[in-house]
Amino acid sequence: LETSPGPTGWAAPITLTTQVRFLETLLAHTPARLARLHHLAGSVLVLDEPQTLPAAWRPAVRDVLDALIRHYRVSVLTTTATPPAWLPP
């Protein structure tokens, strides 16, 4: 188990991170943050209460999650009582 930010950059079998840290990594423009993205391939992402994301972020987050699902074999599981319509199917 690794908690973010961890020394291995999400290489552990299970990594816990905050929604903010996760989104900063997905939308980053710096090599240090982008370096951990390859560890997401084939993973399962658990997003807690994604409907709480600010509306302005939703299009970018949807695009990134869609790319992870389509090109990196990522599965997305949401934990919410009110599933947001803006998430990829």
Side-chain angles (χ1 to χ4, degrees):
L1 177 67
E2 174 183 300
T3 56
S4 184
T8 60
W10 296 356
I14 298 174
T15 302
L16 300 175
T17 190
T18 65
Q19 188 164 276
V20 170
R21 172 75 63 169
F22 178 69
L23 294 175
E24 285 175 346
T25 298
L26 289 182
L27 304 173
H29 297 288
T30 61
R33 287 201 174 143
L34 291 171
R36 62 176 73 118
L37 273 180
H38 72 282
H39 293 296
L40 294 177
S43 67
V44 175
L45 302 177
V46 180
L47 302 178
D48 186 36
E49 303 296 342
Q51 76 277 6
T52 63
L53 283 173
W57 295 12
R58 293 175 185 173
V61 170
R62 179 185 166 84
D63 290 347
V64 170
L65 290 176
D66 189 53
L68 289 172
I69 291 166
R70 291 177 187 271
H71 303 291
Y72 296 94
R73 304 175 333 274
V74 171
S75 298
V76 178
L77 173 68
T78 59
T79 58
T80 179
T82 53
W86 58 267
L87 279 176

